[in-house]
Amino acid sequence: MTALAFHLAAPIRDKEEARRYYRDVLGCTVGREAERWIDFDFFGHQLSLHVCNEPESLATNQVDGKDVPVRHFGAVLEWQAWNALKDRLVEAKTEFVIDPYLRFEGEAGEQATMFFLDPSGNALEFKSFRDPAQLFVA
C-alpha cells in the first residue's frame, strides 16, 4: 500500500495564532477549518490543528548531546528549500530548541536538521539530506 501523504493532528492554544504562524512564517496554505480546528497543506501533507486547553509536557531524549523533544513532527525538505526555510526562521527571530546544524557530516546519511516550537509549544523538526537517497540508510 502506498500513501499519498500523511495526516497529523496536533493541539494548539489559539487558532488565529496558529494560522498566522503556519501560513505567514512557515508558508503553509490554509485548507478547511471550523470553529476549533484548522487544516494546512504542510509541505504536501495534511496537518490538522485542534484547539486544546490542556497543557502538554515536553519530554526529551539525548541525541548527539542535545535534548531532542520526544514528541515532534516536521518535514524532510530538499536541500535548498531547507536552507531557505532556515533563513526565513532566522529572519523571523525564531528561538530554536536545537539550532540548525549538520549531522553525520561527510558520512552516509549526512543531514541538516533544526528544532523549534510553534506558538502552542508543538516541537517541529525540519531536516534535509544532502543525498535524498540516504533517507533510510542505517
Side-chain angles (χ1 to χ4, degrees):
M1 179 186 308
T2 302
L4 297 175
F6 72 73
H7 164 81
L8 176 72
I12 53 171
R13 62 180 177 209
D14 182 275
K15 189 175 92 169
E16 293 309 314
E17 178 183 58
R19 177 193 314 275
R20 287 187 301 274
Y21 186 77
Y22 282 86
R23 180 192 63 202
D24 300 342
V25 176
L26 295 183
C28 299
T29 304
V30 176
R32 290 180 297 276
E33 63 183 286
E35 183 181 341
R36 295 186 53 84
W37 59 267
I38 185 168
D39 286 347
F40 293 93
D41 177 343
F42 187 77
F43 303 89
H45 304 281
Q46 185 186 43
L47 176 61
S48 184
L49 300 177
H50 295 260
V51 176
C52 177
N53 300 326
E54 296 180 29
E56 299 265 333
S57 67
L58 193 60
T60 63
N61 277 337
Q62 283 285 308
V63 177
D64 293 344
K66 297 170 176 38
D67 290 325
V68 171
V70 172
R71 191 179 152 283
H72 67 271
F73 65 94
V76 178
L77 305 177
E78 294 177 339
W79 198 259
Q80 294 81 3
W82 185 90
N83 280 287
L85 178 59
K86 175 192 64 136
D87 293 345
R88 189 174 177 169
L89 292 168
V90 168
E91 185 176 313
K93 300 188 181 341
T94 298
E95 185 177 323
F96 291 96
V97 173
I98 297 175
D99 289 332
Y101 78 105
L102 285 179
R103 294 185 72 204
F104 312 118
E105 192 169 1
E107 300 176 27
E110 180 177 354
Q111 59 190 267
T113 186
M114 59 184 157
F115 284 83
F116 52 94
L117 304 179
D118 76 4
S120 295
N122 291 304
L124 301 170
E125 177 188 19
F126 283 82
K127 59 173 59 180
S128 182
F129 288 78
R130 197 170 300 274
D131 177 359
Q134 296 188 354
L135 178 63
F136 297 108
V137 170

